[in-house]
Amino acid sequence: MTDDAIHEEEYKSRLDLRLWKRVIQHARPYAWHLVGLGLSGLALALIEALLPLITAWIIDAATDGTVEVGESNLMLYAGIYAVLVVSICIIIWAFIIMAGKVATGLAFDIRRKSFIKLQQLPFSYYDHRAVGWLMSRLTSDCTRLSSLFPWLTLDLVWGTFTLGSVTAVMFVLNWQLALAVLTIVPPLTVISVYFQHKLLHSSRAVRKANSQLTASFNECIMGARTTKTLVRETENLREFDETSGGMYRHSVRNALQSAVYLPIVISLGSIGAGLALWRGGVSLGESITLGTLIAFMQYAAMFYIPIQELARRFTDVQMAQAAAERIQGLLDTEPDIRDSDEVLARIEEQKQHDPRPGIAIDGHAARIERIEFEHVAFAYKDGEAVLKDFDLTVRAGETIALVGATGGGKSTIVSLVCRFYEPTEGRILINGVDYRERSLHWLQSNLGMVLQSPHLFSGTIRDNIRYGRLDASDEAVMEAARLVNAHDFITASENGYDTQVGEGGGRLSTGQKQLVSLARAVLADPQIFVMDEATSSVDTETEQLIQTGIERMLEGRISFVIAHRLSTIRGADRILVIDAGRIIEAGTHGELIERRGRYFDLYTSQFAKEREEFVLQT
Amino acid sequence: MTGKGKLLWQITKGQRLRYLSAIAALIAASCFLYLVPLIPTAVLNGVLADADEQVSPFMAWIVDVMGGRAFVISHLWVPAAVIAALAVTAGGFTYLRGRWSAIASESIIRRLRNRLYDHLQHLPCSYHDKAETGDHVQRCTSDVETVRLFLSMQIVEIGRALVMLIVPIPLMYMLDARMTIVSLVVIPPIVAFALIFFTKVKSAFKDADEAEGKMTSTLQENLTGIRVVRAFARQDFETKKFQEKNATHRGLDYRLYYLMAWYWATSDFLCFTQKALVVCAGAYWLWQGELAVGTFYFFLSAVSMFIWPVRMMGRILTDLGKALVALGRIEEILTSQTEAQIDAQQVTEPALLPEPRRGEITFDHVRFAHGTSEDVLCDVSFRVEPGQTLALLGPSGAGKSTIIHLLLRFYDADAGTIRLDGADITQLDRMTVRRQIASVLQEPFLYSKTIGENIKIGRTTANEDETTEAAVTACLHESIEEFDKGYDTLVGERGVTLSGGQRQRVALARAILQKPAVLILDDALSAVDTETETLIIDALRKRRGRHTTIVIAHRLSTLRHADHVIVLDQGRIVQTGTHEKLVAEEGRYRRLWSIQTSLQEDFGKQLTSAAHPRTQ
Ligand SMILES: Nc1ncnc2c1ncn2[C@@H]1O[C@H](COP(=O)(O)OP(=O)(O)OP(=O)(O)O)[C@@H](O)[C@H]1O
Ligand SMILES: Nc1ncnc2c1ncn2[C@@H]1O[C@H](COP(=O)(O)OP(=O)(O)OP(=O)(O)O)[C@@H](O)[C@H]1O
Ligand SMILES: [Mg+2]
Ligand SMILES: [Mg+2]
């Protein structure tokens, strides 16, 4: 996995309050839990302050001998103590429960939102991002962020409260000494800012490396067979070692930074106490009494405990920010291809009415009569035009075959029809309306598509065919399978329609996968039917059976057939020869043969010689 | 010791000394940190307070070390400096602890990751057929992270906790046996409780972890098949599916918190009870005059001191439980047998291939089935002479690809033998077999690298000219030149940014560049147009004799120049012979041929009319 193989947003900003504001938005539903957590923090701080007091009371009683430590006294002590301890335990119980609610709920929500977002992002987003990279955002990044959240709240409340009250008490006791203790605050701030920068930087590197590792593992498993055929294991491992080495370096750097930062903070805290001791000792008897100094020193010692705890959290926060950036980066990506506000408004309006027959959810006619390409240009990357000034009109009932040299742009044309990508110039019209003014979901739920690389989901064959129409009955599923001639091979296997196809359909042969995907598309009963080399791995005999099978089915629909085999395309109403993104010839099979152009060349190169030989033999 | 425990012990190999040092540093740091607050106390009580006040000997000693009472009074900066020095020393040790434990744990984890990666790529295909990718990725990332957290945080803490727990006990016992028993009485229930909780948390974490695995799997499948999801507008369906897994995971994850809540509440209650017991019993005996004040104070601080590690033990055990579960899931991968391990059981000394490599292939009564299902191949026998071309033909699912997979030793035949240059391939090292064979699989996989790197991946030592030559043979060179970045164009994951035909031809160029003894093209030209196909076939025919070739295709034009054609149906060979023989013979081949040539009727007419000027 090379580094630049993947688009990676660069994150530059420092501790970003806007980001955190957005992240906190996710915690909205848990506001009360968080308040509860904060309150538990306070209550805990209070009770923990009380406990030593009552213990001191009983101990004083015992050692001084002033108060009799009778059974009643001990019982009283035990009683108060028990009440306090039980309340502590209840609070502990409650705050862990609340923390659990927040952490798991937050993770759940963020995952849900990210998943929904991923379902909306266009293919161009996926073209440049590895699956593993996206996965790591929903798994480890998400865990990092959500599990920190409740504890961060708790510690922030507790830390600020303790810090504030200790400072206040110190000022009340002696403000000069308090200032002496506080002299450590400016260096502490400078150091923290410095380390914040460093830690954030290394945390980002760690999160990024984590994505890379996830992607590498994913690729390792997906490409296991190819790796075997290439005997590339050693080489792969060497490359992986570089990635895991990167992770090692960044993690160690991150850990070392906190290993330096934390002791510095702790030392600074102690130095503050030392300063107070020095100043206090010098001015003892002048502005301060011994009793006050003793009390003051106790508080000065308490001063650095919350600072230390907060410092510990501080390093976690940097890691969480790095994770949050990645998640928020995904959530904030606006899909390039989506319903415009106007379309959404129309869909809303349409929802008010009773469903009218023949009207789609976006208020336009539901039946697709005509698809037009109007001066369409398209490029995946700037400067590498795939389609140029492309015009085409297709009417319902027509079967359009696309043929031509590989890389000519055939798949691209159907991708544009399906609005997986949108034209960079020109328009595509459905029934005369720019399809950008129609609902994306409506268009895509009227598609039946067999992709060039067949992909099935793990589950049974039945599940996979039914993916085309979720409410289809078993009979309908079988009917679709019969139509594409898949029924025979399915029933021939032991479990029939309940055969598990394995991940990606790996337990079927490629041709079988194509048949199942074809059945899936047929079952969808679509208005636009697209077969992108749908039968390229099926033998000619079966293919002919499929052709006759679906011929009737294609009636009244718009269908696009891409194929290299003459037998597949011969019957099409119109054959378009595509080369370098242009239609160079169009017509029926007969017309094109007549014309003796490119089409003729394409197929005679193969057949002319064969025919000659065949004639010679017979 | 359980397997997981053994694995845990085993992976720390080489870093144990570092861990010990980290523990020592942590203990040193704790001692120095413990001293820091003593200095102000000593100064306040022993220096600044009235001279006749009683000072404990330890405090007096601290004052003496700093130069004595009189000196300190006139040089009050000294204690401040001592505090700073102690704090900085403690800081130094803390740093060392952090450094050593970070390096140790990260090294271990790096090794573990590499080991997992390497193991995964050496697992047999039959394993990968069943494995869920997402679940495995989760094991390799999330579970490894759980182990990492344990290694970097807890191992060192275990050391400290043990020391803090064990050191005070003899001291306590020497001072007062009765008080010692009182101080320790609640410890056994706490420990017992922690152990019970440990098993509980283990099973709860296992459930949560498995749920996470399932969720990751669903996510991975969705992202991999995102194009299909879109083509059928199944976003809502997929979201629902994911949400189910997500919700299950949330529930099980929450259950973990729930258990923790009970654990912490109970264990803290027990700890506080222990403290209260000491206070009450101590106060009572003190009042009775059976206990000295000093001893009482000692027990008070001792109990606070070791209650902390006891509480800590709970956290450590929790994390250990999680780490063991995670390790268990990792171990499941690591103990699955790799291809080499499977071979080692059958073949002690792999045979050597005779030189020079000729590329002769024989199948001798080969039978094969996936697991216990029905046979995919039945009694398949054939022989390919060195340098010749064999064509395989047959309907979907006939077993053509399976023959290739057996030859590549993705799977081993259930009966019969396959020979390469006369050597039984099961007696050879798998790598050796595969090195002889370059193949374009039916669904070619490209790595997310540049086109150039992908072509060269089978032979990284190839130079520029050889790469170009391979690309030219595969009719790919011109297409690549059209890209802005040429050979440096990135292909995206699995080659998604290339067209289907381009993807196949990159795989073809990659195979050609390998200069193998055997070249296999499994439906490798199905996405290539007929014209390009002819060019490629011609180019390959020119290389005839350099390697044995096996071609699988459905277009007869691809196959017809083969020296030998085998027609398969349902795992059996139904016809063999040359093109000419098969065309003349009744059977599937002839049927296919006539379908494909019946199209020529049109051409036939056109060809004859081509001789005459067009009349229109
Ligand atoms: N997702 C993508 N990102 C960038 N470039 C792409 C992408 N998909 C295709 N291309 C490029 O666009 C051109 C046209 O590709 P397309 O898939 O439309 O060809 P095709 O006619 O279907 O070819 P084939 O017959 O080989 O499938 C090719 O040069 C290809 O490399
Ligand atoms: N991993 C697997 N587990 C179980 N069954 C499998 C597995 N791979 C293939 N099969 C089955 O084995 C049979 C032969 O498959 P194979 O891939 O060899 O067919 P093929 O002749 O290559 O077909 P195609 O022309 O479609 O590629 C098929 O019925 C298929 O379902
Ligand atoms: Mg294509
Ligand atoms: Mg096959």
Side-chain angles (χ1 to χ4, degrees):
Chain A
M1 174 90 20
T2 41
D3 203 49
D4 46 350
I6 309 296
H7 265 253
E8 170 68 346
E9 298 82 357
E10 279 304 323
Y11 303 102
K12 295 211 179 65
S13 58
R14 322 239 349 225
L15 189 68
D16 190 347
L17 286 183
R18 275 216 321 278
L19 173 80
W20 282 103
K21 243 192 207 150
R22 308 213 46 150
V23 172
I24 285 170
Q25 291 293 318
H26 301 303
R28 260 262 175 77
Y30 308 100
W32 286 111
H33 288 105
L34 289 174
V35 170
L37 276 172
L39 288 179
S40 330
L42 287 186
L44 223 53
L46 273 177
I47 299 181
E48 274 178 354
L50 273 179
L51 263 185
L53 285 183
I54 73 147
T55 309
W57 164 69
I58 189 85
I59 293 172
D60 285 348
T63 44
D64 292 1
T66 45
V67 190
E68 202 158 298
V69 188
E71 308 216 331
S72 61
N73 238 336
L74 274 180
M75 288 312 283
L76 180 65
Y77 164 74
I80 299 176
Y81 192 87
V83 170
L84 288 182
V85 166
V86 168
S87 9
I88 285 193
C89 293
I90 291 176
I91 293 172
I92 289 180
W93 183 87
F95 87 55
I96 297 183
I97 291 283
M98 283 188 288
K101 279 262 184 270
V102 177
T104 57
L106 203 59
F108 176 82
D109 291 347
I110 293 179
R111 288 196 177 111
R112 192 194 67 225
K113 289 181 200 162
S114 312
F115 190 85
I116 291 176
K117 178 61 88 179
L118 282 171
Q119 303 308 301
Q120 293 164 351
L121 288 170
F123 286 4
S124 52
Y125 186 84
Y126 288 91
D127 284 347
H128 303 288
R129 284 170 183 83
V131 168
W133 282 65
L134 299 172
M135 277 166 73
S136 68
R137 280 177 170 69
L138 269 74
T139 52
S140 32
D141 287 337
C142 187
T143 313
R144 280 276 167 154
L145 179 62
S146 58
S147 60
L148 175 75
F149 223 85
W151 306 116
L152 184 64
T153 314
L154 182 72
D155 281 356
L156 266 183
V157 171
W158 173 82
T160 334
F161 175 75
T162 324
L163 213 55
S165 43
V166 168
T167 316
V169 173
M170 287 198 305
F171 268 98
V172 169
L173 285 176
N174 187 302
W175 65 268
Q176 289 102 328
L177 285 190
L179 283 182
V181 172
L182 290 185
T183 47
I184 64 156
V185 172
L188 191 67
T189 316
V190 173
I191 288 174
S192 296
V193 168
Y194 174 76
F195 273 97
Q196 191 263 330
H197 194 62
K198 296 229 136 199
L199 281 164
L200 185 55
H201 194 72
S202 60
S203 300
R204 280 175 182 152
V206 169
R207 299 321 302 157
K208 187 171 169 178
N210 179 58
S211 288
Q212 258 164 346
L213 281 176
T214 315
S216 294
F217 274 117
N218 193 46
E219 191 172 52
C220 164
I221 301 173
M222 303 285 288
R225 285 190 180 205
T226 303
T227 301
K228 285 184 199 306
T229 62
L230 293 167
V231 199
R232 230 189 101 75
E233 286 89 348
T234 326
E235 200 50 20
N236 273 355
L237 181 62
R238 198 186 50 73
E239 275 173 24
F240 180 78
D241 184 53
E242 267 168 36
T243 313
S244 70
M247 181 65 162
Y248 169 83
R249 277 192 304 281
H250 298 311
S251 306
V252 167
R253 189 151 56 95
N254 187 265
L256 289 189
Q257 281 163 359
S258 32
V260 174
Y261 174 66
L262 285 179
I264 291 183
V265 172
I266 297 173
S267 305
L268 272 179
S270 308
I271 289 169
L275 281 179
L277 181 65
W278 179 19
R279 300 300 328 146
V282 168
S283 49
L284 187 65
E286 292 163 24
S287 57
I288 192 166
T289 62
L290 182 62
T292 319
L293 185 58
I294 292 178
F296 189 90
M297 285 315 297
Q298 278 168 354
Y299 283 103
M302 268 167 73
F303 183 68
Y304 81 95
I305 297 177
I307 289 190
Q308 189 184 330
E309 280 307 310
L310 288 179
R312 225 188 282 281
R313 281 289 171 226
F314 183 73
T315 64
D316 290 344
V317 169
Q318 305 315 317
M319 191 57 89
Q321 173 166 348
E325 283 168 351
R326 304 177 80 78
I327 296 167
Q328 207 56 51
L330 168 65
L331 287 175
D332 289 346
T333 313
E334 275 304 321
D336 301 335
I337 301 178
R338 65 191 164 109
D339 288 337
S340 64
D341 295 339
E342 191 199 333
V343 173
L344 288 176
R346 252 187 294 119
I347 294 175
E348 267 316 302
E349 192 195 311
Q350 191 63 25
K351 272 194 198 145
Q352 314 295 320
H353 303 297
D354 293 330
R356 284 174 287 170
I359 300 295
I361 49 166
D362 59 0
H364 289 286
R367 187 168 152 72
I368 302 176
E369 298 286 352
R370 199 157 36 107
I371 298 179
E372 286 162 275
F373 280 65
E374 213 180 66
H375 305 297
V376 170
F378 179 75
Y380 290 101
K381 285 174 240 159
D382 286 339
E384 281 180 37
V386 177
L387 294 186
K388 281 160 265 170
D389 200 22
F390 189 86
D391 286 302
L392 175 68
T393 306
V394 189
R395 283 167 215 288
E398 264 191 306
T399 301
I400 302 290
L402 301 172
V403 299
T406 104
K410 304 180 293 296
S411 302
T412 307
I413 293 170
V414 296
S415 291
L416 285 172
V417 170
C418 304
R419 213 175 152 195
F420 295 149
Y421 298 90
E422 283 179 355
T424 38
E425 273 170 49
R427 300 191 296 167
I428 295 177
L429 309 172
I430 294 181
N431 299 343
V433 180
D434 187 338
Y435 75 174
R436 278 176 271 216
E437 285 161 29
R438 309 263 347 224
S439 151
L440 183 64
H441 183 78
W442 165 78
L443 174 65
Q444 294 184 343
S445 39
N446 278 298
L447 293 178
M449 186 158 195
V450 188
L451 295 162
Q452 194 162 9
S453 20
H455 180 92
L456 303 182
F457 295 103
S458 53
T460 62
I461 293 184
R462 194 196 311 278
D463 294 341
N464 270 288
I465 298 181
R466 193 171 276 154
Y467 202 78
R469 181 149 54 85
L470 297 175
D471 56 0
S473 65
D474 284 357
E475 278 67 43
V477 168
M478 272 188 238
E479 191 48 46
R482 273 200 204 97
L483 209 61
V484 301
N485 214 47
H487 186 73
D488 291 343
F489 99 78
I490 298 172
T491 42
S493 65
E494 218 172 325
N495 298 317
Y497 282 86
D498 294 321
T499 310
Q500 292 286 334
V501 301
E503 205 174 68
R507 288 193 223 169
L508 297 184
S509 83
T510 311
Q512 291 168 338
K513 267 199 284 192
Q514 287 191 333
L515 295 183
V516 173
S517 356
L518 198 56
R520 176 171 70 186
V522 165
L523 186 68
D525 189 22
Q527 296 203 56
I528 304 175
F529 195 68
V530 177
M531 296 196 285
D532 191 351
E533 308 204 7
T535 50
S536 64
S537 293
V538 176
D539 64 301
T540 332
E541 216 173 1
T542 315
E543 195 203 357
Q544 284 226 316
L545 296 173
I546 296 173
Q547 293 255 301
T548 40
I550 61 176
E551 203 157 294
R552 242 199 11 261
M553 193 232 136
L554 294 182
E555 271 165 32
R557 305 173 204 273
I558 292 177
S559 32
F560 291 90
V561 180
I562 302 177
H564 294 301
R565 257 187 259 168
L566 192 52
S567 46
T568 324
I569 51 177
R570 212 169 43 131
D573 298 316
R574 207 154 17 126
I575 299 173
L576 310 179
V577 184
I578 310 287
D579 196 36
R582 289 174 190 280
I583 302 179
I584 53 172
E585 272 174 47
T588 61
H589 177 71
E591 288 165 4
L592 290 176
I593 294 286
E594 192 100 340
R595 192 172 296 164
R596 267 155 224 276
R598 185 97 173 86
Y599 184 77
F600 183 82
D601 290 343
L602 258 176
Y603 289 99
T604 42
S605 57
Q606 168 189 7
F607 281 104
K609 289 180 237 157
E610 276 161 22
R611 179 173 163 80
E612 279 157 29
E613 287 167 38
F614 192 65
V615 170
L616 285 180
Q617 277 165 30
T618 46
Chain B
M1 205 183 258
T2 62
K4 288 163 242 159
K6 213 152 83 194
L7 182 64
L8 185 61
W9 175 245
Q10 186 200 340
I11 58 174
T12 56
K13 199 171 160 226
Q15 302 295 337
R16 288 174 205 149
L17 198 62
R18 219 175 241 134
Y19 271 125
L20 278 182
S21 321
I23 292 170
L26 178 59
I27 292 170
S30 312
C31 291
F32 280 104
L33 269 188
Y34 176 70
L35 283 179
V36 170
L38 289 183
I39 306 288
T41 319
V43 171
L44 289 172
N45 293 342
V47 179
L48 299 179
D50 294 338
D52 51 313
E53 187 121 336
Q54 261 292 304
V55 190
S56 76
F58 185 49
M59 296 294 167
W61 178 76
I62 292 177
V63 174
D64 281 345
V65 168
M66 283 191 291
R69 192 186 153 123
F71 176 79
V72 174
I73 265 201
S74 51
H75 299 83
L76 266 176
W77 57 269
V78 171
V82 170
I83 289 177
L86 285 176
V88 170
T89 318
F93 279 115
T94 312
Y95 167 75
L96 284 180
R97 173 254 141 133
R99 183 189 172 90
W100 285 329
S101 68
I103 292 181
S105 54
E106 294 297 337
S107 314
I108 292 172
I109 288 304
R110 177 184 183 180
R111 235 184 18 223
L112 186 63
R113 285 196 182 110
N114 286 357
R115 200 169 139 192
L116 271 169
Y117 186 92
D118 201 33
H119 202 88
L120 278 174
Q121 51 177 1
H122 281 102
L123 285 171
C125 288
S126 51
Y127 183 92
H128 284 293
D129 283 347
K130 293 190 205 94
E132 289 177 47
T133 310
D135 183 68
H136 276 67
V137 171
Q138 188 260 356
R139 290 175 197 219
C140 296
T141 53
S142 176
D143 282 336
V144 167
E145 174 70 12
T146 308
V147 177
R148 189 191 70 88
L149 275 178
F150 176 76
L151 289 177
S152 66
M153 304 289 188
Q154 305 299 10
I155 286 218
V156 176
E157 291 296 337
I158 291 180
R160 170 157 74 161
L162 280 180
V163 170
M164 289 179 73
L165 196 60
I166 292 167
V167 168
I169 290 177
L171 284 177
M172 281 158 63
Y173 190 77
M174 273 171 1
L175 275 172
D176 190 319
R178 201 165 53 164
M179 271 306 274
T180 311
I181 292 167
V182 173
S183 310
L184 296 179
V185 75
V186 186
I187 305 286
I190 294 183
V191 173
F193 181 63
L195 285 176
I196 293 172
F197 179 72
F198 172 69
T199 49
K200 263 241 179 272
V201 86
K202 251 167 64 176
S203 74
F205 182 71
K206 191 158 195 289
D207 293 343
D209 206 18
E210 277 164 7
E212 192 187 346
K214 290 214 182 76
M215 184 182 74
T216 317
S217 249
T218 311
L219 176 65
Q220 199 268 354
E221 262 217 291
N222 172 274
L223 294 179
T224 312
I226 194 78
R227 286 167 175 80
V228 177
V229 176
R230 295 298 166 77
F232 291 92
R234 286 280 168 268
Q235 285 93 332
D236 293 344
F237 174 75
E238 291 289 315
T239 307
K240 218 177 99 211
K241 194 159 85 182
F242 178 75
Q243 274 303 85
E244 261 167 41
K245 304 277 170 10
N246 194 4
T248 317
H249 176 234
R250 174 181 62 177
L252 291 170
D253 213 17
Y254 173 70
R255 196 181 131 69
L256 217 55
Y257 278 92
Y258 179 79
L259 284 175
M260 296 266 264
W262 279 109
Y263 173 74
W264 281 114
T266 318
S267 114
D268 275 3
F269 179 77
L270 290 175
C271 288
F272 279 120
T273 312
Q274 175 67 77
K275 260 188 179 170
L277 267 182
V278 171
V279 172
C280 285
Y284 184 75
W285 281 323
L286 194 67
W287 177 60
Q288 300 277 307
E290 292 172 31
L291 193 69
V293 180
T295 321
F296 180 43
Y297 271 121
F298 175 78
F299 272 95
L300 271 182
S301 52
V303 81
S304 316
M305 256 178 75
F306 73 65
I307 275 297
W308 179 84
V310 166
R311 281 190 70 200
M312 201 57 205
M313 278 300 187
R315 148 161 288 165
I316 293 173
L317 273 180
T318 314
D319 284 1
L320 178 66
K322 288 186 186 180
L324 286 182
V325 170
L327 269 175
R329 281 165 62 79
I330 291 170
E331 202 193 16
E332 272 172 27
I333 299 180
L334 291 179
T335 48
S336 303
Q337 288 199 314
T338 61
E339 294 182 325
Q341 285 165 339
I342 295 172
D343 285 352
Q345 289 169 355
Q346 285 147 14
V347 188
T348 36
E349 180 75 21
L352 290 177
L353 261 185
E355 293 281 354
R357 314 283 154 85
R358 298 175 300 137
E360 183 200 86
I361 299 163
T362 357
F363 271 60
D364 193 8
H365 300 288
V366 170
R367 193 176 63 77
F368 175 74
H370 285 283
T372 53
S373 43
E374 59 247 77
D375 283 358
V376 177
L377 290 181
C378 256
D379 200 28
V380 171
S381 306
F382 61 83
R383 184 180 146 84
V384 195
E385 299 293 338
Q388 288 207 325
T389 301
L390 169 75
L392 293 175
L393 183 76
S396 289
K400 305 177 294 295
S401 303
T402 308
I403 288 186
I404 306 303
H405 294 164
L406 291 182
L407 184 58
L408 284 165
R409 286 204 68 195
F410 285 173
Y411 309 98
D412 280 333
D414 297 329
T417 44
I418 302 169
R419 293 204 178 79
L420 183 66
D421 283 350
D424 182 350
I425 57 170
T426 53
Q427 299 301 313
L428 297 169
D429 184 36
R430 282 182 207 243
M431 305 274 186
T432 316
V433 177
R434 289 176 192 154
R435 275 202 196 94
Q436 311 313 313
I437 304 171
S439 48
V440 183
L441 296 182
Q442 198 161 12
E443 291 168 59
F445 179 92
L446 302 186
Y447 296 86
S448 35
K449 295 169 177 290
T450 67
I451 295 186
E453 285 170 327
N454 263 296
I455 296 178
K456 277 213 284 200
I457 214 158
R459 189 155 64 88
T460 32
T461 51
N463 61 32
E464 200 82 348
D465 291 342
E466 287 172 307
T467 315
T468 318
E469 197 205 308
V472 169
T473 312
C475 270
L476 184 63
H477 185 65
E478 278 173 39
S479 317
I480 297 178
E481 294 284 273
E482 274 168 29
F483 295 133
D484 269 354
K485 292 196 191 146
Y487 283 86
D488 295 330
T489 312
L490 288 163
V491 303
E493 205 179 33
R494 291 181 296 148
V496 285
T497 62
L498 295 181
S499 84
Q502 287 166 345
R503 211 155 40 223
Q504 277 190 334
R505 282 175 295 149
V506 171
L508 181 61
R510 172 173 81 187
I512 291 172
L513 189 64
Q514 276 178 275
K515 288 207 181 143
V518 181
L519 179 68
I520 292 176
L521 308 177
D522 186 354
D523 219 3
L525 300 172
S526 64
V528 173
D529 61 287
T530 42
E531 217 175 15
T532 315
E533 184 197 15
T534 317
L535 291 174
I536 296 175
I537 295 282
D538 285 346
L540 285 177
R541 276 173 74 192
K542 284 202 198 96
R543 300 164 59 93
R544 204 173 225 173
R546 284 203 223 168
H547 42 66
T548 309
T549 313
I550 300 184
V551 193
I552 300 177
H554 291 293
R555 272 184 258 167
L556 297 185
S557 52
T558 320
L559 307 180
R560 46 170 315 203
H561 302 291
D563 300 297
H564 195 70
V565 180
I566 290 179
V567 183
L568 277 173
D569 195 8
Q570 304 196 341
R572 289 174 192 280
I573 296 181
V574 290
Q575 279 182 294
T576 60
T578 59
H579 171 74
E580 284 71 27
K581 170 171 175 268
L582 290 174
V583 166
E585 193 175 288
E586 192 56 43
R588 175 178 283 274
Y589 193 90
R590 191 187 166 97
R591 279 208 309 280
L592 290 175
W593 177 248
S594 68
I595 292 173
Q596 297 193 11
T597 49
S598 73
L599 306 167
Q600 293 173 17
E601 297 301 294
D602 314 325
F603 286 103
K605 287 181 208 129
Q606 294 301 327
L607 283 175
T608 32
S609 70
H612 312 288
R614 283 227 273 172
T615 47
Q616 206 165 5

